[in-house]
């Protein structure tokens, strides 16, 4: 993209972001709430296993629970179970507010970008409109602005919440058992290579797919606007053949994109399963030797299964950026 186009886009984009900075700040606070509740989700189960079932003493940081239940294991079990529901409700509330606010900001941004883009197109020279395809312009106005909304208003904040969650998970896993956290770190290079290698190929295919979609839209627009001429000269079959040729290329690129994305998903699941299995094996041996409690093993494995999601989403985000 030429420098003057990037500057104009940045000016429009940041102007509209400044207008909604208050709501964006509130959405960021909700993002912190989502990350915090994600970190709390496995803890009630750890309390149930270690302190309600196995009757192990509560740590110093959780002594307030002991005072609340008065040493009653049944009351501790009920309280921990209620904690699962409370954490889920808080997580749902924070997530709802985050999605609602960011989506409303995104739709307002799409409206503003479409309005400015439409006004800009009207001021361009006739020579530009003679060269440009109407279908390409329609794809830019209708499709690409919507993709921008998905990336900037939804994906980035969601990834931010997951990145904060990962940092917190690593910190807690290291505090519980640093050896298990090393297993997670050891699998990350393989996961990153697998995902970004495949999504780098996806990026090129997505660009070709978007260009073909613009050509399809152009072909449809040109033919539908000239239907009287097409019917007058009996060119229906010729136009159908031309349209089939254009859409066939779009179909091939779309299938290639789906195949590459499916391959990235399957490879990441295999690497994730190998890392989780290694952590479970090591953690189970630690439990047998008394170095870890069953609740700590459940806590670590729960964190580990959620640890890889932001890496996968970052790779998907690169595909959305290419669109």
């Amino acid at each position: 993209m030429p420098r003057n186009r990037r500057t104009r886009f940045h000016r429009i984009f940041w102007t509209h972001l400044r207008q909604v900075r208050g709501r964006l700040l509130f959405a960021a606070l909700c993002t912190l709430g989502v990350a915090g509740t994600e970190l709390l989700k496995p803890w009630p189960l750890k309390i149930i296993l270690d302190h309600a079932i196995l009757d192990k003493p509560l740590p110093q940081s959780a002594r307030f629970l002991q005072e609340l239940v008065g040493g009653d294991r049944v009351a501790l079990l009920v309280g921990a179970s209620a904690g699962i529901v409370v954490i889920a409700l808080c997580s749902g509330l924070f997530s709802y507010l985050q999605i609602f606010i960011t989506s409303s900001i995104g739709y307002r941004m799409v409206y503003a970008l479409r309005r400015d883009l439409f006004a800009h197109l009207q001021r361009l020279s006739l020579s530009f409109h003679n060269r440009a395809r109407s279908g390409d312009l329609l794809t830019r106005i209708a499709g690409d602005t919507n993709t921008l909304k998905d990336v900037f208003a939804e994906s980035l904040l969601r990834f931010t919440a997951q990145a904060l969650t990962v940092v917190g998970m690593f910190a807690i896993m290291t505090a519980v058992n640093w050896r298990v956290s090393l297993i997670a770190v050891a699998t990350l290079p393989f996961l990153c290579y697998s995902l970004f290698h495949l999504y780098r190929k996806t990026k090129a295919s997505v660009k070709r797919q978007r260009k073909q979609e613009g050509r399809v839209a152009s072909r449809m627009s040109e033919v539908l606007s000239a239907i009287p001429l097409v019917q007058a000269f009996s060119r229906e079959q010729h136009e159908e053949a031309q349209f089939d040729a254009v859409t066939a290329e779009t179909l091939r690129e779309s299938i290639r994109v789906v195949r590459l994305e499916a391959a990235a998903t399957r490879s990441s699941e295999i690497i994730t399963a190998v890392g989780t299995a290694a952590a479970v094996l090591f953690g189970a041996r630690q439990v047998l030797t008394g170095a870890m409690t069953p609740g700590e093993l459940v806590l670590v494995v729960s964190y580990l299964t959620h640890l890889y999601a932001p890496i996968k989403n970052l790779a998907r985000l690169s595909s959305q950026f290419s669109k």
Side-chain angles (χ1 to χ4, degrees):
M1 185 185 293
R3 182 176 178 82
N4 61 333
R5 293 185 189 176
R6 286 200 302 267
T7 303
R8 183 166 59 247
F9 171 74
H10 290 163
R11 177 176 53 79
I12 295 172
F13 180 73
W14 290 112
T15 297
H16 295 298
L17 272 189
R18 282 194 294 270
Q19 294 174 356
V20 295
R21 59 181 178 271
R23 278 174 289 176
L24 205 58
L25 178 61
F26 185 66
L29 294 176
C30 292
T31 300
L32 293 176
V34 171
T37 51
E38 285 296 321
L39 292 175
L40 289 175
K41 281 181 179 179
W43 281 93
L45 188 57
K46 177 188 181 303
I47 293 173
I48 291 173
L49 287 174
D50 286 347
H51 309 295
I53 296 177
L54 299 179
D55 200 22
K56 293 181 178 294
L58 288 165
Q60 192 65 36
S61 58
R63 288 296 179 184
F64 69 95
L65 293 176
Q66 191 72 32
E67 297 175 0
L68 288 175
V69 300
D72 188 350
R73 294 168 63 183
V74 175
L76 182 61
L77 178 62
V78 173
S81 301
I84 296 175
V85 178
V86 171
I87 292 171
L89 289 174
C90 292
S91 177
L93 177 62
F94 285 128
S95 181
Y96 167 78
L97 291 173
Q98 181 198 42
I99 293 172
F100 173 74
I101 294 170
T102 54
S103 295
S104 62
I105 292 172
Y107 283 116
R108 290 177 186 274
M109 189 178 298
V110 166
Y111 166 75
L113 285 172
R114 285 177 179 170
R115 182 189 58 203
D116 291 343
L117 181 57
F118 182 73
H120 176 69
L121 287 172
Q122 293 185 94
R123 292 191 292 269
L124 292 175
S125 63
L126 287 176
S127 61
F128 168 82
H129 287 285
N130 289 332
R131 294 192 311 269
R133 293 174 176 268
S134 57
D136 285 334
L137 299 180
L138 288 173
T139 301
R140 299 289 181 271
I141 295 174
D144 290 351
T145 52
N146 217 34
T147 304
L148 281 172
K149 183 267 295 181
D150 294 337
V151 171
F152 289 106
E154 296 177 9
S155 300
L156 287 180
L157 267 182
R158 189 182 301 118
F159 175 74
T160 301
Q162 291 173 337
L164 292 173
T165 304
V166 165
V167 173
M169 285 179 180
F170 263 119
I172 295 174
M173 286 171 60
T174 303
V176 172
N177 193 307
W178 61 270
R179 295 178 181 85
V180 178
S181 63
L182 283 182
I183 295 175
V185 172
T187 58
L188 287 181
F190 300 100
L191 182 63
C192 291
Y193 174 78
S194 172
L195 287 173
F196 288 102
H197 174 70
L198 287 169
Y199 275 96
R200 194 163 51 244
K201 293 182 178 180
T202 306
K203 183 176 180 180
S205 188
V206 162
K207 286 183 178 180
R208 291 192 295 269
Q209 179 193 25
R210 300 295 284 185
K211 288 181 180 179
Q212 286 300 125
E213 287 175 355
R215 291 173 184 170
V216 170
S218 295
R219 194 70 193 173
M220 292 176 64
S221 175
E222 292 167 2
V223 173
L224 292 176
S225 62
I227 281 293
L229 289 175
V230 172
Q231 293 179 346
F233 291 96
S234 301
R235 302 280 289 179
E236 292 90 347
Q237 291 185 352
H238 172 76
E239 295 300 337
E240 288 175 11
Q242 293 292 319
F243 185 76
D244 286 343
V246 176
T247 53
E249 183 63 29
T250 306
L251 177 61
R252 282 194 293 270
E253 289 299 333
S254 300
I255 292 174
R256 176 177 169 79
V257 170
V258 171
R259 181 176 61 82
L260 289 170
E261 290 180 346
T265 303
R266 298 289 82 76
S267 63
S268 65
E269 287 180 353
I270 292 171
I271 295 171
T272 301
V274 171
T276 304
V280 169
L281 178 61
F282 178 81
R285 289 177 61 87
Q286 293 284 96
V287 171
L288 292 176
T289 59
M292 286 180 68
T293 65
E296 289 175 343
L297 176 60
V298 170
L299 182 72
V300 168
V301 172
S302 177
Y303 281 160
L304 193 60
T305 54
H306 291 88
L307 191 64
Y308 300 105
I311 308 292
K312 300 175 186 176
N313 289 336
L314 180 60
R316 294 191 188 101
L317 195 60
S318 68
S319 176
Q320 289 180 339
F321 269 121
S322 69
K323 293 181 181 179

